[in-house]
Amino acid sequence: MSVSLDSVSTRTGAGRLVVVLGGLTAVSPFATDMYAPAFPQLVTSLSTTGAAVQLSLTACLVGLAVGQVVLGPVSDASGRRRLLLAGTGMFTMWSLVCALAPSIAVFDVARLFQGIAGSAGLVIGRAVVSDLFTGTLAARRLATLSVIAMTAPVLAPVLGGLVLGVGSWRLVFVALAMAGLVLLTAVRAWVPESLPAERRRTGGLRAVLAAVGGLLRRRELVGYVLVMGCGLAALFAYISGSPFVFQNIYGLSPTGYSLVFATNAVGTVGAGVLFGRLAGRVRLNSLLVIGVSITVAATITLMTLLAVGISTLSTTWACLFGLTFGFGLILPSATTLVLAVGSDAPGAASGMLGGAQFALGAAAAPLPGVLGSITAMSTAVVVLGFVLLSAIALITLARPWQGRGEPAEHS
């Protein structure tokens, strides 16, 4: 079954496309986090250790990072649709392998390949938007995908807990396989080949590597990628450290902490919605600067309060809300700018962006506890370090005052 570009020329067609791309964007975060409430079950069921189960999470993150770096450039040469179909089909298969895994070794390997397969939806989905839309339309659709990407990790453990109320951890992966099958059907029906043969890169692997090398030589593109990657690393440090801060130090129950986390996630989603309304009226580089400035101001405020002995639930919560709100502006603006600057190789640009996000995020997650116990100060130090790196990349490499990547009406 083929789908033509004309199918997305109407509002209905574009709406269906965004829905499918949104599902592809959400499924990988769900695969990453949905089984988290089942960690104790996995330890017992597979006769293993907590560390080995946690390794399965790392394996999935590695797969997501590597898959995006590889599949993005490959899609510039081979097209989007076939890779999306293959990736979604393989995601379904590896989810079933996870569900049937007889040992932790098989489970961990399956998680690695599940991550690689799931990365196709993330990296190629962004490239499809870049192929079909430009300027403000592209920015708003990428903002929609960004909001979905930030909402999915919050909802995933909740839905996972509901599934576990019905059956074992294996049912979580059956549910993921069913989601993959639905998405495979939707891709076949509603996602066109957005990269015609005449626009593809020829020359095989050498041309693919040359395209990546060309992007790496673009100072502003590397800058935008690092702004985004370091911002996400700060967010991962917050995510890994905040349960210990709010529960062990401020005495919240797991339910109370869930409320804090959900409220802060709403800040990210709200900022993404605000971005969608402002795109086309305000320069993308200006929105990026505002987002970075908010994260820096919120984190410096938190560090200052902790340094002078003010460590309360309300102040820490408010400052971290500022961090997540600022990131909600960084995510869609940086993504749009990266794909605009790398518009001649959007798959490779999308792969660089996704790879940097997950690599830096995975590196940052354990840092709040690297010196021992996790405290509000240790978490704040790591978060501040990464938001400052994000700001440095913005000023020295991205140089937003030059206006690179802006739509024509703002260039």
Side-chain angles (χ1 to χ4, degrees), residues 113-137:
F113 286 104
Q114 185 191 36
I116 293 172
S119 72
L122 285 172
V123 67
I124 299 174
R126 291 190 295 260
V128 168
V129 171
S130 182
D131 291 337
L132 298 178
F133 306 100
T134 58
T136 301
L137 281 178

Side-chain angles (χ1 to χ4, degrees), residues 165-227:
V166 177
S168 75
W169 64 268
R170 296 182 188 275
L171 191 58
V172 172
F173 290 93
V174 172
L176 288 169
M178 292 174 62
L181 191 60
V182 170
L183 286 170
L184 179 62
T185 304
V187 170
R188 286 179 60 85
W190 292 332
V191 179
E193 175 51 70
S194 60
L195 189 67
E198 62 271 16
R199 288 171 51 197
R200 296 176 192 174
R201 288 190 170 270
T202 57
L205 180 61
R206 178 174 296 180
V208 169
L209 294 176
V212 174
L215 293 179
L216 287 172
R217 288 192 292 271
R218 297 178 189 177
R219 168 190 45 76
E220 64 276 11
L221 186 141
V222 173
Y224 290 131
V225 166
L226 289 177
V227 170

Side-chain angles (χ1 to χ4, degrees), residues 1 11 25 30 69 77 82 104 123 130 147 149 156 159 161 166 170 191 211 216 267 271 275-276 282 289 344 367:
M1 177 180 179
R11 179 170 296 184
T25 299
F30 269 88
V69 171
R82 285 185 299 173
I104 190 62
V123 67
S130 182
V147 168
L159 291 181
V166 177
R170 296 182 188 275
V191 179
L216 287 172
F275 172 89
V282 181
V289 169
D344 55 322
L367 293 182

Side-chain angles (χ1 to χ4, degrees), residues 9-388:
S9 61
T10 66
R11 179 170 296 184
T12 300
R16 287 175 177 172
L17 176 67
V18 172
V19 167
V20 179
L21 296 181
L24 293 168
T25 299
V27 75
S28 289
F30 269 88
T32 303
D33 297 334
M34 192 172 173
Y35 79 128
F39 276 16
Q41 271 193 31
L42 275 159
V43 172
T44 303
S45 175
L46 298 179
S47 302
T48 186
T49 64
V53 171
Q54 288 179 323
L55 183 61
S56 68
L57 177 59
T58 302
C60 187
L61 289 172
V62 169
L64 284 168
V66 172
Q68 290 188 79
V69 171
V70 173
L71 295 179
V74 169
S75 74
D76 285 334
S78 64
R80 318 291 189 205
R81 181 174 157 82
R82 285 185 299 173
L83 275 179
L84 268 181
L85 288 169
T88 310
M90 294 298 288
F91 177 86
T92 302
M93 185 196 77
W94 286 110
S95 295
L96 287 175
V97 174
C98 289
L100 300 172
S103 67
I104 190 62
V106 173
F107 183 74
D108 285 350
V109 171
R111 287 286 287 163
L112 173 67
F113 286 104
Q114 185 191 36
I116 293 172
S119 72
L122 285 172
V123 67
I124 299 174
R126 291 190 295 260
V128 168
V129 171
S130 182
D131 291 337
L132 298 178
F133 306 100
T134 58
T136 301
L137 281 178
R140 287 176 176 161
R141 282 161 174 75
L142 289 170
T144 299
L145 298 186
S146 297
V147 168
I148 292 170
M150 294 308 302
T151 306
V154 179
L155 296 178
V158 176
L159 291 181
L162 292 176
V163 173
L164 291 173
V166 177
S168 75
W169 64 268
R170 296 182 188 275
L171 191 58
V172 172
F173 290 93
V174 172
L176 288 169
M178 292 174 62
L181 191 60
V182 170
L183 286 170
L184 179 62
T185 304
V187 170
R188 286 179 60 85
W190 292 332
V191 179
E193 175 51 70
S194 60
L195 189 67
E198 62 271 16
R199 288 171 51 197
R200 296 176 192 174
R201 288 190 170 270
T202 57
L205 180 61
R206 178 174 296 180
V208 169
L209 294 176
V212 174
L215 293 179
L216 287 172
R217 288 192 292 271
R218 297 178 189 177
R219 168 190 45 76
E220 64 276 11
L221 186 141
V222 173
Y224 290 131
V225 166
L226 289 177
V227 170
M228 174 68 186
C230 291
L232 190 70
L235 199 70
F236 267 70
Y238 146 71
I239 291 171
S240 67
S242 60
F244 300 95
V245 173
F246 285 103
Q247 294 182 62
N248 295 351
I249 297 174
Y250 297 136
L252 291 183
S253 66
T255 302
Y257 169 70
S258 297
L259 174 62
V260 170
F261 189 84
T263 302
N264 288 353
V266 167
T268 303
V269 173
V273 172
L274 177 63
F275 172 89
R277 292 184 178 275
L278 294 177
R281 305 176 188 175
V282 181
R283 291 164 59 91
L284 295 177
N285 279 281
S286 297
L287 291 171
L288 182 61
V289 169
I290 292 170
V292 173
S293 299
I294 291 173
T295 61
V296 171
T299 314
I300 288 179
T301 300
L302 177 59
M303 280 284 296
T304 302
L305 291 172
L306 294 175
V308 299
I310 300 175
S311 178
T312 67
L313 170 62
S314 58
T315 55
T316 301
W317 187 352
C319 291
L320 291 175
F321 181 87
L323 171 74
T324 57
F325 184 88
F327 184 75
L329 293 176
I330 293 172
L331 179 60
S333 53
T335 300
T336 306
L337 289 165
V338 166
L339 292 177
V341 174
S343 59
D344 55 322
S350 180
M352 285 175 56
L353 185 64
Q357 288 178 40
F358 282 96
L360 288 168
L367 293 182
V370 72
L371 297 179
S373 61
I374 298 176
T375 65
M377 180 61 82
S378 71
T379 301
V381 167
V382 176
V383 172
L384 179 60
F386 278 107
V387 298
L388 289 178

